[in-house]
Amino acid sequence: MNGANKITYLKYNIVVMGDPFVGKSSIIERYVHGKYGPCYLQTIGTDYFKKELEIEANPILLYIFDTAGQEDMKTVIRSIYRNAQGILLVFDFSRHQTLRHIREWIDLIRMNCEVMPELLLVGNKVDLKDLKVTEDEAKLMAESLDIRFIKASAKKNQNITESFEQLAKQIFTNRKRLYPPNVITSIRLTNQDKEESSCCF
């Protein structure tokens, strides 16, 4: 392939944050690989994945960071979310304390980010029968924090793609706030560009 025809991507760093065992890794696995396997091993430190999408003819490459949720790991992941343009804040519908802790996660972000990233509240495990958090409670939390809310299920593949796409759209819409003036934030592809390019990661 001719290197001149290779697509140039806008790169967005997205961090998935929340308490341990809310399903952060399962959400990423479902979105990136289209798979689901219940895994109860806690993520240690950070891991990241790549995913391509397009917004208004702009090719986007998401760098999606999976973070540990435990308290003693917060200093380890600080350098990751400080450079994030977007953060998925995940809570578990079956554990009320995971929703209450969202405020603490946001306080941590505010303390450490010079530019506040775009945020999206995602309630995972909505498919479970014994739910402790109501949808109204989650909506009230989102409204009080002035952020959007989506209920989701990694197991049932409900609103997983929509969550990442919504956050990417928020980043694109607010790109002038998130990036310095000298950074390119829009690259519109023509149909010819798409036909001539065959980029893979």
Side-chain angles (χ1 to χ4, degrees):
M1 183 186 71
N2 187 339
N5 293 331
K6 193 172 183 178
I7 294 177
T8 299
Y9 287 82
L10 300 175
K11 297 178 181 179
Y12 294 169
N13 292 328
I14 289 181
V15 179
V16 182
M17 296 178 67
D19 284 5
F21 311 119
V22 294
K24 299 184 295 295
S25 298
S26 295
I27 286 172
I28 295 172
E29 180 74 7
R30 175 64 83 178
Y31 178 59
V32 175
H33 299 121
K35 300 177 182 179
Y36 173 81
C39 178
Y40 303 105
L41 294 176
Q42 205 166 41
T43 305
I44 303 301
T46 60
D47 199 359
Y48 77 92
F49 305 85
K50 297 179 183 179
K51 182 76 171 180
E52 302 171 27
L53 72 155
E54 188 175 295
I55 299 175
E56 297 182 17
N58 289 268
I60 311 291
L61 180 60
L62 302 182
Y63 285 80
I64 303 168
F65 292 84
D66 187 7
T67 63
Q70 57 266 50
E71 292 290 325
D72 59 349
M73 294 299 292
K74 287 182 179 179
T75 55
V76 176
I77 64 174
R78 185 175 299 151
S79 61
I80 303 298
Y81 63 76
R82 284 185 65 181
N83 296 317
Q85 285 77 50
I87 295 180
L88 284 184
L89 293 159
V90 183
F91 73 91
D92 177 349
F93 263 105
S94 68
R95 292 188 292 144
H96 207 286
Q97 70 271 23
T98 65
L99 178 63
R100 293 198 304 269
H101 292 165
I102 290 297
R103 290 187 183 277
E104 297 177 21
W105 286 106
I106 291 181
D107 288 342
L108 195 70
I109 294 165
R110 285 177 174 149
M111 284 190 297
N112 291 285
C113 294
E114 292 183 11
V115 178
M116 192 67 177
E118 288 295 310
L119 305 177
L120 180 66
L121 180 64
V122 177
N124 191 31
K125 307 185 185 181
V126 71
D127 58 285
L128 297 179
K129 293 181 179 179
D130 188 21
L131 302 183
K132 302 300 184 184
V133 179
T134 67
E135 187 173 345
D136 285 343
E137 286 176 313
K139 286 180 178 178
L140 283 173
M141 173 67 79
E143 289 173 4
S144 70
L145 297 169
D146 195 25
I147 60 178
R148 292 175 179 266
F149 160 65
I150 292 180
K151 59 180 182 179
S153 167
K155 183 177 182 179
K156 299 294 185 181
N157 196 20
Q158 178 181 344
N159 288 335
I160 298 301
T161 296
E162 291 81 355
S163 295
F164 284 96
E165 289 182 350
Q166 172 60 45
L167 187 57
K169 288 175 183 177
Q170 290 176 212
I171 295 170
F172 184 78
T173 299
N174 296 287
R175 58 194 183 276
K176 291 185 179 179
R177 178 184 71 80
L178 294 165
Y179 288 94
N182 61 332
V183 173
I184 296 174
T185 58
S186 181
I187 308 170
R188 293 185 64 85
L189 287 183
T190 64
N191 288 332
Q192 183 177 356
D193 288 331
K194 297 177 185 178
E195 290 170 2
E196 291 177 351
S197 301
S198 57
C199 189
C200 60
F201 291 84

